[in-house]
């Protein structure tokens, strides 16, 4: 059994597979300022920050860095129509506007929008399945967005003031 585990580990390492490591943040405490703190996105972001040993504090005055999530906005648009005028594809977008700064108002991450996009085909004869697919795509985009923010924070540092 141990030999099998060793062989599997060697094979995985040889193909370049590595478990996702903790990001290692350049700060210890963070205040998460969100216009809508009760969303699943904010809950997942909190869990990921805590998993990376970031202490979340209750006020901006206690924080090394303030992460301001200005907006979190999922949207859905028609991508294409079939010959009968029925929708055949949708585009899902997930947009988050954010900024990270310290108490001196030095930007750690300047104000930016991060936008993720997924296209999917639609069939109105399988509405329940397509709604479930849409929900899974939004969950996937939310997780991807959290990971992008964690990576940005792990590389962040105070920007010189001008």
């Amino acid at each position: 059994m141990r030999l099998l585990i060793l062989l599997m580990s060697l094979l995985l390492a040889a193909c370049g597979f590595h478990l996702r490591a903790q990001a290692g943040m350049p700060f210890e405490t963070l205040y998460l300022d969100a216009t809508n703190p009760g969303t699943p996105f904010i809950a997942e972001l909190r869990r990921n920050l805590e998993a990376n040993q970031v202490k979340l504090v209750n006020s901006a005055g206690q924080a090394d860095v303030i992460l301001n999530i200005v907006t979190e906005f999922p949207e859905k648009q028609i991508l294409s129509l079939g010959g009968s005028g029925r929708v055949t594809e949708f585009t899902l977008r997930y947009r988050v506007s954010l900024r990270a700064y310290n108490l001196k108002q030095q930007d750690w991450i300047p104000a930016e929008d991060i936008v993720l996009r997924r296209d999917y085909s639609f069939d109105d004869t399988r509405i329940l399945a397509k709604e479930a697919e849409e929900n899974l795509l939004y969950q996937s985009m939310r997780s991807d967005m959290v990971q992008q923010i964690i990576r940005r924070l792990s590389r962040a540092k105070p920007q010189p003031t001008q």
Side-chain angles (χ1 to χ4, degrees):
M1 185 65 166
R2 287 185 181 175
L3 182 60
L4 179 61
I5 293 172
L6 180 61
L7 282 172
M8 292 297 290
S9 299
L10 289 172
L11 286 172
L12 287 174
C15 76
F17 175 81
H18 299 285
L19 289 174
R20 183 178 290 165
Q22 293 176 342
M25 299 295 174
F27 51 86
E28 292 181 18
T29 59
L30 182 129
Y31 176 66
L32 184 55
D33 180 22
T35 52
N36 192 357
T39 66
F41 167 72
I42 296 298
E44 189 170 339
L45 183 57
R46 285 182 183 279
R47 281 192 303 273
N48 273 267
L49 288 165
E50 290 170 345
N52 282 284
Q53 275 76 47
V54 173
K55 181 180 179 193
L56 297 175
V57 294
N58 295 323
S59 73
Q62 301 171 318
D64 298 329
V65 173
I66 299 151
L67 176 60
N68 180 228
I69 304 295
V70 181
T71 59
E72 168 205 356
F73 186 68
E75 66 181 298
K76 178 179 176 180
Q77 292 182 329
I78 296 172
L79 182 61
S80 65
L81 299 172
S84 63
R86 291 184 171 170
V87 175
T88 57
E89 290 181 303
F90 280 106
T91 294
L92 302 178
R93 285 193 187 92
Y94 194 75
R95 178 187 316 266
V96 172
S97 299
L98 62 95
R99 176 181 175 228
Y101 57 95
N102 61 20
L103 290 175
K104 298 176 188 174
Q105 296 297 313
Q106 284 181 292
D107 281 333
W108 281 57
I109 299 174
E112 68 177 315
D113 283 352
I114 306 171
V115 181
L116 299 176
R117 177 185 153 168
R118 303 283 191 276
D119 298 337
Y120 77 102
S121 62
F122 183 76
D123 181 355
D124 60 0
T125 63
R126 297 186 297 171
I127 290 178
L128 290 178
K130 289 301 178 176
E131 284 180 0
E133 180 181 0
E134 182 179 322
N135 288 333
L136 287 173
L137 287 169
Y138 274 127
Q139 287 174 1
S140 170
M141 286 191 289
R142 186 171 55 239
S143 293
D144 288 352
M145 185 67 72
V146 166
Q147 290 307 312
Q148 284 195 29
I149 292 170
I150 295 294
R151 284 192 298 273
R152 280 174 168 77
L153 285 170
S154 71
R155 295 186 313 265
K157 59 185 175 192
Q159 305 295 310
T161 55
Q162 299 175 14

